[in-house]
Every structure is written in C-alpha cells, then in structure tokens.
Amino acid sequence: MNDVFKQIYEMEGVSGLSKHDQLVNGILNAIQNKALQQGDLLPSVNNLINEFGFARETIAKAYKDLVTRGIVESKNRVGFYVSNCDISQHLKVALVLFAFDAFQETFYKVFRAEVGQGVHIDVFFHHNNIDVLESTIQNIRGRYGLFVVAPIPHKRTAEILGNLPMDRFLMIDRYEKISGDFSYVAQEFDKSSYRVFEELKDTIKQYDKMIYYHRPAADTPIEILHAFKSFVKTHKIKHEILTEYIPGTLEKGNVYFTINNTELWNMLKDCKVKKLKPGKDVGILSHNDEVVKELIFDGITTYSADFKVMAEKAAEFVLTRKKIQEIIPTVLIRRKSL
C-alpha cells in the first residue's frame, strides 16, 4: 500500500491539481506502474483520510470517477478494488512541440490517427523558448499518463525534463542528453547533413558560391552549421553564412540553403521576379520535406527525416509502453532545384 501512497503523494507538487485529481491520477499511475494489479484492494476511505487528510466527500467522488471509467469496482463490506488494468482507453497524452510547422503537422496527424480515438491528446507549443518549456512541463506534470516532448537544445533542458517520470516519457524530433534511461525517436543532424552535402558535392561545385542561412536565436540546429562548415572547408567551397535571407538579394550562380520555409518562399518569389530558373541559374536546397516542395517549381531538393515514420513509432510507444531508442534515418530527395 505504501507504493500506492507514494504515487498519490507525487501528485502534491503539481501546480493547480485538485485533491480529487491528485487521488485519481495517483491511483491511475499506480496501476500503470504495476503498484496495483487487477483484483487488488484500494486504500479504504478511512486510510486515505488518515494518510492525506482528504475530505470523505473528495475520496468518494474520486472513487466514483474511477468506477464510472470502468477501472474500479466496489464490493459491499469489502471496499473498492481494481477491476481493469487496461487504462489505455482513458490515457491522456501531453504532446509538446516546437510549433505547428508543416512537418510537425504531419507528425501530429499520423500520431493522432495511429493512437486511435481512445487516447486523449493535448498539444502544447514551446516555440523554442526555454521559459515556456519549463512552465509547460510544470503545468502538465502529474496531469497526464504519458509525455511526448520535442526538447530544446539548452543547458536547462536536462533539469526541466528530468522532472518527468522517465518510464512515461518519450523524446521526439531531436535528441538531447538528460539523466536517466528514457525512450526517444529522433533525428540526427550533424553526420546526416554532412553526408547529404557530400552527395550533392559535384552539383554544388558547378556554382560560384554556397550560401547557408543559420538563425542562431531560432530553432536551427547548431549541428547543421558544424556540418556545413566542415564540408565547405574540406572541399574548399566558396561560401557565406548569413543569419537571414533578405528578399531581393537572390543572385545568379549561387546555391542557397535554408531551413526556414518563409525564406524558401521568398527565394522562389525572387526567382520568379528575376526570371532565374532553380537548378540552372541558381541552386536551392531545403531542409524538411513536405508535399508542396515536391510540386512547386518542378520540385525542390530536400533532405529530411521521415516524420511519418517518427510518428508511427511514437504512437507504438504510447500504445505498448515498450522502451524505444531509435534515430530515424535522414533521406536526400533530389529534385530539379539542385
């Protein structure tokens, strides 16, 4: 019974959680962590009053809630016991993303479809702001059965995410080292970017210069910058690293590489205005593939992890709770723009 009490006590530190929710979530966590098995007797009302000081009405309401969900049953003169350990149909998942960009929308749609309607998903966005991430984690901790989080590369990230239960945590999109043994389904940026640049080397060398737009204050992975610097140094390629694309600055004879879609659309707009043909007059490379990049201007060359596969594997973790530690391969898709 002490393990059950421990799960309930863990809910005390969750900001804004009512005593009713503290008791319900604590018991659900105890079932999920196998501290309670089917047929096990739950703490009596008097036990909970003595241990936590809850009002009798609060305990009765919490147990009634669990009975309504089909997880708990009551027996006259015996008490309440666990009748169903399959809480998947009652599972609440917190999904924490950077923002709702096109590729993250792809992830969400596939993830939502794969887990099915029996799983409730709430989506949160941190917009690459470490303070927003911290407040989000504080608010969702203890309120959800599983936590699927796209982290921020920041010195505070490990401490912030370390507050989540590692057995119910899945890191997605990018890998950040934190303490403990945890599951992840992520992409890799350094070696994969260098490999892509190498595959494109002969084509890139046909142009005068390669320009890469790296936004240090945004979510642009620093690993891609490292790979780019290494590539141009190794192959003695004339280059520039700029912080943002200024509309109207597109010049014939250059290769342009951006991660930001707004910059890409402005480049393509300038191609149209200046009558420059991607793949001939200028080269264009984009990160993260999506349908529109396959269609416009006879196709934009991209490289990307498959977010559909990432979402499928994340959904499998949610449904099975089986530990996963996997890096999704990065794929170069060559089209007419480079």
Side-chain angles (χ1 to χ4, degrees), residues 25 39 41 63 73 77 136 146 172 176 181 191 197 204 209-210 228 230 238-239 281 292 303:
N25 290 343
L41 192 65
Y63 275 173
E73 290 186 13
R77 299 182 181 179
T136 300
L146 289 172
I172 60 166
E176 288 293 316
D181 191 19
K191 293 179 181 178
F197 298 150
I204 291 171
K209 179 171 59 176
M210 185 173 185
F228 180 79
S230 179
K238 188 177 179 182
H239 66 281
D281 301 315
V292 67
Y303 75 96

Side-chain angles (χ1 to χ4, degrees), residues 308-330:
K308 180 177 182 294
V309 173
M310 187 183 295
E312 290 171 346
K313 291 184 178 293
E316 183 179 356
F317 170 82
V318 168
L319 295 174
T320 66
R321 318 293 207 283
K322 290 183 179 177
K323 179 180 173 182
I324 182 171
Q325 294 180 332
E326 187 167 338
I327 298 296
I328 303 299
T330 296

